[in-house]
Amino acid sequence: MKNRTEEFQELRPLLFSIAYRILGSVGEAEDAVQETWLRFAGSPTRVRSAKAFLSAAVTRISIDVLRSARVRREEYVGPWFPEPLLADPYEDPARSAELADSVSMAALLLLERLSPLERAVFVLREVFDFGFPEVASAVGRSEAACRQLAVRARRHMAEGRPRFEPDRQERDELAARFFDALHEGDLAGLQKLLAVDVSLVGDAGGKAPQLARAVLGAQNVARLLAAVFPLLTRIDVTCTPHEVNGQPGAIFRDRDGRVLQTFSLDILDGRIQAIRLVLNPNKLGHVGPVADAWAISEEAKQARRGMK
């Protein structure tokens, strides 16, 4: 028979994945998992199902954290994005498509439209396939109430989702062509890969240089990328393609290997629909040592003046 530590460690990837989808924050999800362990370790009785106990505990903790986090997010400077996740620790081959889709930036931003209870019910039921008795126990509501919450959550999510998902291989090939064009400064090549109404948006939270507003339209986005990337290359900033939140993306690092930003692509219908940058240093610490974005911005400006 497994002891509590072994049971917890076995379920830890699932617990983190539940918490992250509810909270959209790596740090807060890790804290929720740690608090769940403390409750499990401190329980005076032997629980009948470690999975049921731990899933319910991490869900309730995450709901409480989300309720307070929403107040802070209302005061957030500029656009708010979830903290980038480079790899989901939980794997289930039978539900790999649902897991990958549910952790994308686009899906997490749709989840922000839901109430904390709707979000928790949706995550447990639709993403992790918990039965309604388990969901009801986790969120402290009746099964009937959870069914209603699930219906509302599915409707809200369906309203914002694209009708057709891209083929994974086609998506990855398009992303590879995009990064090739970016490295080559190929303005025309970039523009061909962008949707007519593409948007480029950055989350800096007032803690790093950011765009004054979203950049919209294929021509404008292509021009910006073709103008900025050579400057970054000139000051030894590197762009390494890397999956971000289950979608094609990249990590930008300074000459010392410190993380400047993450870069994720939302692809649909053979075109890039959205480019999302996370520059807020508070959201990048789990990726690696964080660069000084202000210093890099100033260095890029000097490089631009030197190119004139």
Side-chain angles (χ1 to χ4, degrees):
M1 180 179 292
K2 297 176 183 176
N3 60 39
R4 288 192 180 186
T5 301
E6 291 170 332
E7 289 178 320
F8 176 79
Q9 290 301 333
E10 186 175 284
L11 290 165
R12 189 181 192 115
L14 171 64
L15 303 178
F16 173 86
S17 294
I18 290 172
Y20 177 76
R21 285 164 174 82
I22 295 175
L23 293 167
S25 165
V26 172
E28 289 174 349
E30 290 174 342
D31 290 344
V33 171
Q34 181 61 26
E35 177 61 26
T36 298
W37 160 247
L38 294 175
R39 294 187 185 186
F40 186 49
S43 177
T45 58
R46 180 81 187 180
V47 299
R48 295 177 62 182
S49 167
K51 180 180 178 182
F53 179 93
L54 291 167
S55 299
V58 81
T59 298
R60 291 175 182 174
I61 291 167
S62 297
I63 289 171
D64 289 341
V65 173
L66 180 60
R67 284 173 173 151
S68 61
R70 288 205 156 181
V71 176
R72 297 194 301 274
R73 289 175 191 176
E74 289 174 0
E75 301 170 350
Y76 196 80
V77 178
W80 179 92
F81 291 154
E83 290 183 10
L85 184 68
L86 301 188
D88 188 352
Y90 179 72
E91 296 180 358
D92 180 354
R95 301 187 64 79
S96 58
E98 293 95 329
L99 290 170
D101 177 64
S102 66
V103 83
S104 69
M105 284 279 184
L108 292 171
L109 289 171
L110 282 176
L111 284 170
E112 284 291 305
R113 302 180 183 182
L114 307 183
S115 71
L117 276 177
E118 288 173 342
R119 186 165 181 165
V121 168
F122 183 88
V123 167
L124 293 177
R125 177 61 184 169
E126 301 299 320
V127 179
F128 294 99
D129 201 30
F130 279 52
F132 276 111
E134 298 170 290
V135 176
S137 175
V139 303
R141 295 291 188 274
S142 69
E143 286 187 43
C146 288
R147 290 180 187 276
Q148 291 179 339
L149 288 165
V151 168
R152 288 204 300 269
R154 282 195 297 267
R155 185 172 63 246
H156 288 313
M157 294 295 287
E159 289 171 355
R161 285 181 183 272
R163 292 182 61 187
F164 304 102
E165 293 295 331
D167 175 86
R168 188 177 184 89
Q169 183 176 342
E170 291 179 2
R171 182 200 71 181
D172 291 346
E173 288 174 353
L174 188 150
R177 294 201 305 272
F178 170 82
F179 285 115
D180 285 344
L182 185 63
H183 279 94
E184 294 168 5
D186 182 356
L187 177 61
L190 285 169
Q191 192 167 333
K192 287 179 182 178
L193 300 172
L194 302 174
V196 173
D197 58 349
V198 65
S199 62
L200 186 152
V201 188
D203 171 353
K207 299 180 182 297
Q210 66 185 53
L211 302 169
R213 61 181 66 86
V215 180
L216 305 176
Q219 190 175 57
N220 293 332
V221 171
R223 283 178 175 172
L224 177 65
L225 292 173
V228 171
F229 192 77
L231 292 176
L232 295 178
T233 301
R234 193 178 178 88
I235 59 172
D236 301 321
V237 170
T238 59
C239 168
T240 306
H242 195 294
E243 196 168 86
V244 177
N245 287 81
Q247 306 295 314
I251 303 171
F252 284 68
R253 290 185 168 91
D254 69 7
R255 61 172 59 90
D256 297 316
R258 295 173 299 193
V259 179
L260 174 62
Q261 65 183 25
T262 61
F263 194 98
S264 62
L265 306 178
D266 192 358
I267 297 172
L268 184 67
D269 295 333
R271 293 288 185 275
I272 296 168
Q273 306 289 330
I275 301 173
R276 299 184 178 93
L277 286 58
V278 177
L279 305 99
N280 186 338
N282 294 349
K283 295 185 176 185
L284 298 173
H286 62 282
V287 180
V290 181
D292 183 343
W294 297 104
I296 289 175
S297 175
E298 185 57 36
E299 193 174 352
K301 290 177 182 176
Q302 293 176 4
R304 188 163 100 180
R305 288 194 288 268
M307 292 171 67
K308 291 182 179 179

